[in-house]
Amino acid sequence: MKNKKFSQIDASVPTIRRLPSYLNVIRRALNNNLKVISGTVIASELELEPIQVRKDLAVTGIVGKPRVGYDVKELKNAIESFLNWDKQHKAIVVGTGNLGTALIGYPGFKQNGMNIVCAFDSSVDKIGKQILGVEVYGLKDLKDKLKNEKIDIAILTVPSEVAQQVTELLIETGVKSIWNFTNEKLKVPEDVLVLREDLSSSYAVLSVCQ
Amino acid sequence: MKNKKFSQIDASVPTIRRLPSYLNVIRRALNNNLKVISGTVIASELELEPIQVRKDLAVTGIVGKPRVGYDVKELKNAIESFLNWDKQHKAIVVGTGNLGTALIGYPGFKQNGMNIVCAFDSSVDKIGKQILGVEVYGLKDLKDKLKNEKIDIAILTVPSEVAQQVTELLIETGVKSIWNFTNEKLKVPEDVLVLREDLSSSYAVLSVCQ
DNA sequence: TTAAAATAGATATAAATATATCTTAATTTA
DNA sequence: TAAATTAAGATATATTTATATCTATTTTAA
Ligand SMILES: NC(=O)c1ccc[n+]([C@@H]2O[C@H](COP(=O)([O-])OP(=O)(O)OC[C@H]3O[C@@H](n4cnc5c(N)ncnc54)[C@H](O)[C@@H]3O)[C@@H](O)[C@H]2O)c1
Ligand SMILES: NC(=O)c1ccc[n+]([C@@H]2O[C@H](COP(=O)([O-])OP(=O)(O)OC[C@H]3O[C@@H](n4cnc5c(N)ncnc54)[C@H](O)[C@@H]3O)[C@@H](O)[C@H]2O)c1
């Protein structure tokens, strides 16, 4: 069952996933006032093959100079633009427990265009309070809150047992992209994109390979 | 640059990564007192292809019955055994900030054999205190603490800027597996396994595909 | 001024991963 | 009891992803 949603772009998902680490290297180069950087240098910093880096960067439309490399500033802009990280994205966090709180407190998101505009929880202990400047609302206020404000991403960090029912509520309110940190496989309509962040699958790799 | 460390097992990394979600389905089936479960059923629950599920399950050595499926209990044991989730793993958390705290508080790890035995931080505010029953020590006590206790996994949740230097300390103390939640590409010797948990790469997929 | 070296970009190949097809065994039901 | 059905398991194929090779361009230096 091929997921069409992830294949609308002329770049493979592995390529998209590597771009942020290139951006890290490039931003650092920019801080060090480097004017140009070659794919070879990026590759060696990240222990990748130069060919792969060049091919990945090509999807952003960047054009480099043989024997020189890419203009650092231009390359940074090309990647950020390709990733849409030069535009603002509105996000909400649903479930402000341990993990939800950690994600709200992470400054790396804002740096790449993601603004957590507010959060939702079902616990009376949390509703009405703020977490690092982010207001927490009751889940039943969701529809009302999102009526006038279009949300780009819902970050789902509720207990796995309620994940599906909360998801259905999110979809009712028009959410089209869900970043799912729960262990639940979410059932959603065709036009809703779910990205699963599955820590247990990473732990599996560690357990098997050690 | 092929990473040999991940290719010592006769299962591909994608296969290993899918096994935990099969286990979720199977554990639920066991709770519902089901005796047998077919690959087809697992596949439909997870929106995967039956062929893929069967092929994945085959790496665990499980043998099913045509027209019937797999014995649920046997299948659960086979996966847990393959993943080494039936054995105990000792882990430490290094950096008890937002994310480190969230990971310490996550019960899903213990359920799969991972015990966080203690944590380390450099902040005097945290050293000597407990986080959900887990003692926090100073980073300079690391060597001393790990002298007698072999650690299977170090969970790295320090600020990215100090990630490399903390990693070097971990390696000095004999750590061989690092679960890296920082944005830093860690430079480690051949025999040290690093698994990168890169949230920005997931965010990139969301940003591009929406 | 010209040869050598390094690197982008294009094209071709290889490796890894996923999917399809076929065969055989277990079960149900006509 | 035999035919139909379903699913595992094996083999074959297709797709995706990564890597290698080749060419052209730019720079450096002999
Ligand atoms: N903490 C981790 O490191 C970690 C790791 C892997 C996966 N996860 C998954 O992430 C999710 C959250 O984990 P956590 O550790 O933050 O759990 P948590 O219990 O700390 O937080 C869950 C939060 O969700 C809220 N909540 C409960 N029901 C709700 C509902 N119906 N609507 C809205 N909010 C509701 C609770 O009040 C709580 O604040 C879980 O599904 C967990 O399996 C967490
Ligand atoms: N919070 C998130 O959701 C999130 C998301 C993606 C990535 N990350 C990454 O995870 C890491 C931790 O994030 P966080 O939000 O928990 O940060 P944080 O600032 O809340 O926590 C960092 C902790 O590390 C400790 N620390 C600092 N220097 C140390 C040292 N040399 N040795 C030991 N401990 C030290 C600090 O005292 C603090 O407790 C960062 O690298 C961050 O980029 C976090």
Side-chain angles (χ1 to χ4, degrees):
Chain A
M1 237 170 279
K2 183 81 204 98
N3 193 335
K4 299 253 168 60
K5 294 168 212 162
F6 287 113
S7 49
Q8 288 163 349
I9 295 289
D10 62 344
S12 70
V13 170
T15 292
I16 294 169
R17 284 191 170 274
R18 281 187 295 266
L19 288 173
S21 54
Y22 302 157
L23 194 53
N24 277 344
V25 174
I26 292 156
R27 283 174 174 168
R28 192 174 305 164
L30 197 63
N31 282 341
N32 296 338
N33 286 311
L34 286 182
K35 294 283 170 266
V36 290
I37 191 166
S38 74
T40 313
V41 168
I42 297 172
S44 84
E45 289 223 21
L46 298 171
E47 297 182 55
L48 295 171
E49 293 298 328
I51 319 149
Q52 184 162 69
V53 174
R54 284 207 305 269
K55 234 180 126 241
D56 287 343
L57 294 180
V59 306
T60 69
I62 189 78
V63 175
K65 276 190 189 170
R67 179 64 223 256
V68 181
Y70 306 91
D71 181 272
V72 176
K73 218 165 186 175
E74 209 178 298
L75 184 51
K76 172 179 172 286
N77 291 338
I79 296 177
E80 286 176 348
S81 162
F82 180 84
L83 293 177
N84 295 313
W85 284 7
D86 53 348
K87 294 126 204 152
Q88 291 301 303
H89 303 271
K90 285 183 185 168
I92 56 172
V93 167
V94 185
T96 56
N98 288 318
L99 190 55
T101 301
L103 295 174
I104 290 172
Y106 181 55
F109 291 143
K110 195 163 226 168
Q111 194 184 340
N112 297 321
M114 187 165 84
N115 290 306
I116 297 174
V117 293
C118 61
F120 296 88
D121 206 290
S122 62
S123 158
V124 286
D125 297 345
K126 316 220 167 177
I127 297 170
K129 302 214 172 106
Q130 285 199 344
I131 296 174
L132 297 151
V134 173
E135 196 81 34
V136 181
Y137 299 105
L139 195 64
K140 51 185 173 314
D141 297 331
L142 187 73
K143 264 190 180 160
D144 205 43
K145 278 284 155 200
L146 300 199
K147 211 163 47 192
N148 303 314
E149 194 160 31
K150 207 194 153 290
I151 286 302
D152 301 300
I153 300 171
I155 300 175
L156 190 65
T157 47
V158 296
S160 298
E161 305 83 54
V162 299
Q164 182 63 42
Q165 76 185 62
V166 172
T167 296
E168 279 156 24
L169 187 60
L170 288 169
I171 291 169
E172 274 178 50
T173 67
V175 167
K176 295 290 180 200
S177 292
I178 297 174
W179 196 354
N180 178 23
F181 285 82
T182 78
N183 292 321
E184 200 62 22
K185 160 76 194 174
L186 300 177
K187 290 176 179 62
V188 300
E190 278 282 305
D191 63 333
V192 175
L193 177 72
V194 176
L195 189 69
R196 184 128 177 251
E197 200 68 44
D198 190 357
L199 292 192
S200 57
S201 80
S202 298
Y203 171 55
V205 176
L206 275 174
S207 318
V208 170
C209 295
Q210 82 183 343
Chain B
M1 235 170 280
K2 184 79 205 100
N3 193 336
K4 298 254 169 57
K5 294 168 210 161
F6 287 113
S7 49
Q8 288 162 350
I9 294 289
D10 62 344
S12 68
V13 170
T15 292
I16 295 169
R17 284 191 169 273
R18 281 187 294 267
L19 288 173
S21 55
Y22 301 159
L23 193 54
N24 276 345
V25 173
I26 293 156
R27 282 173 174 168
R28 190 174 305 163
L30 198 64
N31 283 341
N32 296 338
N33 287 312
L34 286 182
K35 294 282 169 268
V36 289
I37 191 166
S38 74
T40 312
V41 168
I42 297 172
S44 84
E45 289 224 21
L46 298 171
E47 298 182 55
L48 295 172
E49 293 297 327
I51 320 147
Q52 184 161 69
V53 174
R54 284 206 306 270
K55 233 180 127 241
D56 287 343
L57 294 180
V59 306
T60 69
I62 190 77
V63 175
K65 277 189 188 172
R67 178 65 220 255
V68 180
Y70 306 91
D71 181 273
V72 177
K73 217 165 187 173
E74 210 179 298
L75 184 52
K76 173 179 171 287
N77 291 339
I79 296 177
E80 285 176 349
S81 162
F82 180 84
L83 293 177
N84 295 314
W85 284 8
D86 54 348
K87 295 124 202 153
Q88 292 301 303
H89 303 271
K90 284 184 185 167
I92 56 172
V93 167
V94 185
T96 56
N98 288 319
L99 190 55
T101 301
L103 295 173
I104 290 172
Y106 181 55
F109 291 142
K110 195 164 226 166
Q111 194 184 341
N112 295 322
M114 186 166 84
N115 290 306
I116 296 173
V117 294
C118 61
F120 295 89
D121 205 291
S122 62
S123 159
V124 286
D125 298 344
K126 317 219 166 177
I127 297 171
K129 303 217 169 102
Q130 285 199 346
I131 295 174
L132 296 151
V134 173
E135 196 81 37
V136 181
Y137 298 105
L139 195 65
K140 52 185 171 310
D141 297 330
L142 187 73
K143 264 190 179 158
D144 206 43
K145 279 283 155 199
L146 301 199
K147 210 163 48 193
N148 302 313
E149 193 160 33
K150 206 194 153 294
I151 287 301
D152 301 300
I153 299 172
I155 299 175
L156 189 65
T157 48
V158 297
S160 298
E161 306 82 56
V162 300
Q164 182 62 43
Q165 76 186 62
V166 172
T167 297
E168 278 155 25
L169 187 61
L170 287 169
I171 291 169
E172 274 178 49
T173 66
V175 166
K176 296 289 180 202
S177 292
I178 298 173
W179 196 353
N180 178 22
F181 284 82
T182 79
N183 292 320
E184 201 61 22
K185 160 75 194 177
L186 300 177
K187 290 176 180 62
V188 299
E190 278 282 303
D191 63 333
V192 175
L193 178 72
V194 175
L195 189 69
R196 182 126 179 253
E197 199 68 45
D198 189 358
L199 292 193
S200 57
S201 80
S202 298
Y203 172 54
V205 176
L206 275 175
S207 318
V208 170
C209 295
Q210 82 183 344

Short mmCIF file of all heavy atoms in Angstrom, two decimals, chain B residues 7 17 27 33 49 52 64-65 73 84 100-102 112 115 117 125 127 130 141 148 174-175 180 183 192 207:
data_model
loop_
_atom_site.label_atom_id
_atom_site.label_comp_id
_atom_site.label_asym_id
_atom_site.label_seq_id
_atom_site.Cartn_x
_atom_site.Cartn_y
_atom_site.Cartn_z
N SER B 7 24.63 -3.81 9.99
CA SER B 7 24.34 -4.85 9.01
C SER B 7 24.86 -6.21 9.45
O SER B 7 25.17 -7.06 8.64
CB SER B 7 24.93 -4.46 7.66
OG SER B 7 26.27 -4.04 7.79
N ARG B 17 12.71 -2.03 12.38
CA ARG B 17 11.91 -0.88 12.82
C ARG B 17 10.41 -1.18 12.80
O ARG B 17 9.65 -0.56 13.53
CB ARG B 17 12.20 0.34 11.95
CG ARG B 17 13.53 1.00 12.26
CD ARG B 17 13.64 2.34 11.58
NE ARG B 17 14.78 3.08 12.07
CZ ARG B 17 14.77 3.87 13.14
NH1 ARG B 17 13.66 4.02 13.83
NH2 ARG B 17 15.86 4.51 13.52
N ARG B 27 0.43 -7.95 21.13
CA ARG B 27 0.16 -7.86 22.57
C ARG B 27 -1.31 -7.56 22.84
O ARG B 27 -1.91 -8.08 23.77
CB ARG B 27 1.04 -6.77 23.20
CG ARG B 27 2.48 -7.21 23.42
CD ARG B 27 3.34 -6.03 23.89
NE ARG B 27 4.69 -6.45 24.24
CZ ARG B 27 5.69 -5.61 24.46
NH1 ARG B 27 5.49 -4.30 24.37
NH2 ARG B 27 6.89 -6.05 24.78
N ASN B 33 -7.31 -12.32 24.37
CA ASN B 33 -7.38 -13.77 24.42
C ASN B 33 -7.46 -14.46 23.06
O ASN B 33 -7.98 -15.56 22.96
CB ASN B 33 -8.55 -14.23 25.30
CG ASN B 33 -8.24 -14.00 26.76
OD1 ASN B 33 -7.17 -14.35 27.24
ND2 ASN B 33 -9.16 -13.37 27.47
N GLU B 49 1.38 -4.18 3.61
CA GLU B 49 1.11 -5.30 2.75
C GLU B 49 1.34 -6.60 3.52
O GLU B 49 2.36 -6.74 4.21
CB GLU B 49 2.03 -5.29 1.53
CG GLU B 49 1.77 -4.13 0.58
CD GLU B 49 0.39 -4.18 -0.04
OE1 GLU B 49 -0.13 -5.29 -0.27
OE2 GLU B 49 -0.18 -3.10 -0.29
N GLN B 52 4.76 -8.16 3.19
CA GLN B 52 5.82 -7.53 3.95
C GLN B 52 5.80 -8.00 5.41
O GLN B 52 6.84 -8.32 5.98
CB GLN B 52 5.68 -6.01 3.90
CG GLN B 52 6.82 -5.31 4.61
CD GLN B 52 6.95 -3.88 4.19
OE1 GLN B 52 6.10 -3.05 4.48
NE2 GLN B 52 7.99 -3.59 3.47
N GLY B 64 4.38 -20.25 10.93
CA GLY B 64 2.93 -20.18 11.03
C GLY B 64 2.26 -21.35 10.34
O GLY B 64 2.93 -22.21 9.76
N LYS B 65 0.96 -21.38 10.47
CA LYS B 65 0.18 -22.44 9.79
C LYS B 65 -0.64 -21.83 8.67
O LYS B 65 -1.39 -20.88 8.91
CB LYS B 65 -0.77 -23.12 10.78
CG LYS B 65 -0.13 -24.19 11.62
CD LYS B 65 -1.19 -24.94 12.40
CE LYS B 65 -0.57 -25.90 13.40
NZ LYS B 65 -1.58 -26.49 14.29
N LYS B 73 0.92 -16.24 21.26
CA LYS B 73 1.89 -16.25 22.36
C LYS B 73 3.30 -16.51 21.83
O LYS B 73 4.27 -15.85 22.20
CB LYS B 73 1.49 -17.34 23.36
CG LYS B 73 1.74 -16.96 24.81
CD LYS B 73 1.00 -17.91 25.73
CE LYS B 73 1.10 -17.47 27.18
NZ LYS B 73 0.24 -18.32 28.04
N ASN B 84 15.69 -8.82 21.53
CA ASN B 84 16.36 -8.84 22.84
C ASN B 84 15.56 -8.10 23.89
O ASN B 84 16.12 -7.64 24.89
CB ASN B 84 17.77 -8.25 22.75
CG ASN B 84 18.68 -9.09 21.89
OD1 ASN B 84 18.72 -10.30 22.02
ND2 ASN B 84 19.39 -8.44 20.98
N GLY B 100 15.34 14.87 28.48
CA GLY B 100 15.86 13.80 29.33
C GLY B 100 14.85 13.40 30.39
O GLY B 100 14.63 12.20 30.64
N THR B 101 14.21 14.39 30.99
CA THR B 101 13.20 14.12 32.01
C THR B 101 12.02 13.35 31.42
O THR B 101 11.52 12.39 32.01
CB THR B 101 12.71 15.44 32.63
OG1 THR B 101 13.84 16.12 33.19
CG2 THR B 101 11.67 15.20 33.70
N ALA B 102 11.58 13.77 30.25
CA ALA B 102 10.47 13.09 29.59
C ALA B 102 10.81 11.62 29.34
O ALA B 102 9.98 10.73 29.57
CB ALA B 102 10.11 13.79 28.28
N ASN B 112 9.89 -2.88 27.78
CA ASN B 112 10.64 -3.59 26.75
C ASN B 112 12.09 -3.86 27.17
O ASN B 112 12.96 -4.01 26.32
CB ASN B 112 10.58 -2.82 25.44
CG ASN B 112 9.16 -2.74 24.91
OD1 ASN B 112 8.40 -3.70 25.01
ND2 ASN B 112 8.79 -1.59 24.38
N ASN B 115 16.11 -0.48 31.41
CA ASN B 115 16.08 0.12 32.74
C ASN B 115 17.03 1.30 32.79
O ASN B 115 18.23 1.15 32.58
CB ASN B 115 16.52 -0.90 33.78
CG ASN B 115 15.48 -1.98 33.97
OD1 ASN B 115 14.32 -1.68 34.24
ND2 ASN B 115 15.89 -3.23 33.80
N VAL B 117 19.11 3.24 34.88
CA VAL B 117 19.63 2.98 36.22
C VAL B 117 20.00 4.27 36.96
O VAL B 117 19.86 4.35 38.17
CB VAL B 117 20.83 2.00 36.20
CG1 VAL B 117 20.38 0.63 35.73
CG2 VAL B 117 21.95 2.53 35.31
N ASP B 125 21.87 22.45 40.15
CA ASP B 125 20.45 22.41 40.51
C ASP B 125 19.88 21.00 40.43
O ASP B 125 18.87 20.69 41.07
CB ASP B 125 19.61 23.28 39.55
CG ASP B 125 20.02 24.74 39.62
OD1 ASP B 125 20.71 25.11 40.61
OD2 ASP B 125 19.64 25.51 38.71
N ILE B 127 21.98 17.93 40.26
CA ILE B 127 22.82 16.89 40.87
C ILE B 127 22.37 16.61 42.30
O ILE B 127 22.10 17.54 43.06
CB ILE B 127 24.30 17.31 40.85
CG1 ILE B 127 24.78 17.45 39.39
CG2 ILE B 127 25.16 16.30 41.59
CD1 ILE B 127 26.15 18.08 39.25
N GLN B 130 16.48 13.54 42.64
CA GLN B 130 15.94 12.40 41.92
C GLN B 130 14.91 12.88 40.89
O GLN B 130 14.22 13.87 41.12
CB GLN B 130 15.25 11.44 42.87
CG GLN B 130 16.21 10.61 43.71
CD GLN B 130 15.53 9.38 44.29
OE1 GLN B 130 14.31 9.27 44.29
NE2 GLN B 130 16.33 8.45 44.78
N ASP B 141 31.18 12.33 38.01
CA ASP B 141 31.09 11.05 38.71
C ASP B 141 30.87 9.88 37.74
O ASP B 141 30.79 8.73 38.16
CB ASP B 141 29.92 11.07 39.72
CG ASP B 141 30.13 12.12 40.80
OD1 ASP B 141 31.31 12.40 41.12
OD2 ASP B 141 29.14 12.66 41.31
N ASN B 148 31.93 -0.10 37.89
CA ASN B 148 31.49 -1.45 38.29
C ASN B 148 30.21 -1.90 37.59
O ASN B 148 29.84 -3.06 37.68
CB ASN B 148 31.26 -1.49 39.80
CG ASN B 148 32.52 -1.10 40.55
OD1 ASN B 148 33.60 -1.59 40.24
ND2 ASN B 148 32.38 -0.19 41.50
N GLY B 174 33.75 3.57 28.43
CA GLY B 174 33.45 2.26 27.88
C GLY B 174 32.06 2.10 27.28
O GLY B 174 31.66 0.99 26.93
N VAL B 175 31.34 3.19 27.12
CA VAL B 175 30.01 3.11 26.51
C VAL B 175 30.13 2.74 25.03
O VAL B 175 30.98 3.28 24.33
CB VAL B 175 29.26 4.45 26.67
CG1 VAL B 175 28.03 4.51 25.77
CG2 VAL B 175 28.86 4.66 28.13
N ASN B 180 21.37 9.18 20.40
CA ASN B 180 21.68 10.61 20.30
C ASN B 180 20.45 11.44 19.93
O ASN B 180 20.00 11.41 18.80
CB ASN B 180 22.78 10.80 19.26
CG ASN B 180 23.13 12.24 19.04
OD1 ASN B 180 22.88 13.09 19.90
ND2 ASN B 180 23.72 12.54 17.89
N ASN B 183 21.28 17.51 17.98
CA ASN B 183 21.39 17.75 16.54
C ASN B 183 22.79 17.52 16.01
O ASN B 183 23.05 17.70 14.83
CB ASN B 183 20.99 19.19 16.23
CG ASN B 183 19.53 19.42 16.47
OD1 ASN B 183 18.71 18.57 16.16
ND2 ASN B 183 19.19 20.56 17.05
N VAL B 192 31.78 1.93 18.24
CA VAL B 192 30.70 2.57 19.00
C VAL B 192 29.52 2.81 18.07
O VAL B 192 29.68 3.32 16.97
CB VAL B 192 31.16 3.90 19.64
CG1 VAL B 192 30.00 4.61 20.32
CG2 VAL B 192 32.29 3.64 20.63
N SER B 207 7.11 19.50 6.75
CA SER B 207 7.10 20.83 6.13
C SER B 207 7.03 20.73 4.61
O SER B 207 6.36 21.54 3.96
CB SER B 207 8.36 21.62 6.50
OG SER B 207 8.68 21.47 7.84
#
